[in-house]
């Protein structure tokens, strides 16, 4: 039972009464394949976010980024995301093994609209595909293969509100959160001081991106 909120919307009818219904444009913008526009968008995207959940419904969203075109569109119904070296938690891959439904958001720097792709995912290791995803002479061990079920352009309102691509709206460098300090406080082990974690992160970023 929820104890923290007093007025909860629990039906679609109540939600639509408050927010209204989508327009004809919105209702008809979704397609179930990657047309030339979508494939062009993916070829220019250098960042995407992958949303997954496990069998119990516990959710995760994970970023994937590389040089533009790092995601391979095999055809109108299939794309592949290379799995570059990470922290070995494998949250996304573990979730896919339990629940193959995924949601993707592709981002092109400077463009405020995004591309959303939903579908069914697999953890794959097809050698002929992995070779095509090689970077700096290193072939990924596995990738995320996605069978496309839904695809559409998402409007720019979130990016316009956030001013994400406008440097004049970015916070000053000296006011940014300190990731190493956050990790040190969360880990709470004497061996992992902020300075030690800074060193570990620097080495990882410089030597283990691929």
């Amino acid at each position: 039972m929820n104890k923290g909120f007093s007025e909860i919307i629990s039906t679609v009818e109540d939600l639509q009464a408050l927010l209204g219904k989508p327009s004809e444009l919105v209702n008809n913008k979704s397609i179930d394949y990657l047309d030339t526009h979508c494939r062009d968008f993916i070829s220019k995207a250098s960042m995407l976010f992958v949303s997954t959940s496990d069998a119990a419904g516990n959710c995760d969203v994970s970023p994937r980024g590389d040089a533009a075109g790092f995601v391979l569109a095999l055809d109108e119904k299939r794309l592949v995301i290379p799995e570059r070296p990470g922290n070995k938690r494998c949250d996304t891959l573990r979730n896919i093994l339990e629940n193959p439904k995924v949601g993707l958001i592709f981002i092109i720097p400077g463009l405020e609209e995004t591309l959303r792709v939903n579908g069914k995912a697999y953890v794959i290791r097809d050698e002929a595909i992995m070779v095509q995803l090689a970077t700096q002479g290193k072939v990924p061990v596995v990738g995320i293969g996605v069978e496309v079920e839904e695809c559409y352009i998402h409007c720019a309102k979130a990016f316009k509100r956030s001013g994400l691509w406008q440097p004049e709206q970015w916070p000053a460098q000296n006011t940014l959160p300190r990731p190493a300090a956050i990790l040190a406080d969360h880990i709470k082990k004497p061996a992992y001081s902020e300075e030690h974690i800074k060193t570990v992160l620097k080495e990882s970023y410089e030597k283990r991106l691929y």
Side-chain angles (χ1 to χ4, degrees):
M1 177 181 293
N2 184 287
K3 297 180 180 180
F5 303 101
S6 59
E7 296 188 38
I8 298 173
I9 306 301
S10 56
T11 69
V12 174
E13 291 74 19
D14 287 345
L15 183 64
Q16 290 184 332
L18 287 169
L19 302 183
K21 295 182 180 181
S23 68
E24 183 179 18
L25 184 153
V26 172
N27 275 330
N28 290 280
K29 69 178 181 177
S30 174
I31 59 176
D32 62 1
Y33 62 98
L34 300 173
D35 66 359
T36 55
H37 299 296
C38 295
R39 293 200 297 276
D40 179 62
F41 196 110
I42 291 170
S43 75
K44 293 177 171 62
S46 56
M47 174 67 72
L48 74 139
F49 289 87
V50 184
S51 174
T52 59
S53 64
D54 64 18
N58 299 300
C59 297
D60 179 75
V61 178
S62 178
R64 294 291 192 277
D66 213 322
F70 76 101
V71 175
L72 177 64
L74 292 172
D75 51 43
E76 291 186 339
K77 295 294 290 186
R78 298 178 301 156
L79 59 83
V80 183
I81 306 163
E83 185 68 10
R84 306 297 188 202
N87 59 18
K88 297 182 173 62
R89 280 181 51 130
C90 300
D91 296 310
T92 299
L93 304 184
R94 290 162 64 96
N95 283 349
I96 289 170
L97 294 177
E98 293 187 22
N99 175 6
K101 305 298 277 188
V102 297
L104 313 176
I105 295 182
F106 288 90
I107 298 172
I108 299 174
L111 180 65
E112 293 178 318
E113 284 80 10
T114 56
L115 179 71
R116 296 180 61 163
V117 177
N118 300 317
K120 184 177 182 180
Y122 307 85
V123 180
I124 66 169
R125 56 178 181 180
D126 306 50
E127 184 177 355
I129 296 175
M130 295 301 102
V131 169
Q132 297 180 66
L133 298 170
T135 296
Q136 298 187 9
K138 296 184 178 180
V139 179
V141 177
V142 298
I144 300 171
V146 178
E147 291 181 349
V148 176
E149 296 174 349
E150 184 178 38
C151 184
Y152 57 93
I153 290 291
H154 191 102
C155 79
K157 289 180 180 177
F159 282 77
K160 289 185 178 299
R161 293 177 184 130
S162 68
L164 185 66
W165 303 130
Q166 300 172 33
E168 66 275 11
Q169 293 194 34
W170 295 352
Q173 282 288 319
N174 62 359
T175 68
L176 295 176
R178 305 195 321 269
I182 295 169
L183 283 167
D185 282 348
H186 289 180
I187 294 170
K188 291 183 171 60
K189 290 187 179 293
Y192 292 95
S193 66
E194 179 179 353
E195 288 306 312
H196 175 69
I197 292 174
K198 277 184 181 178
T199 301
V200 171
L201 290 176
K202 184 174 185 292
E203 180 187 28
S204 176
Y205 297 155
E206 290 178 351
K207 299 180 179 179
R208 295 192 294 277
L209 281 183
Y210 298 98

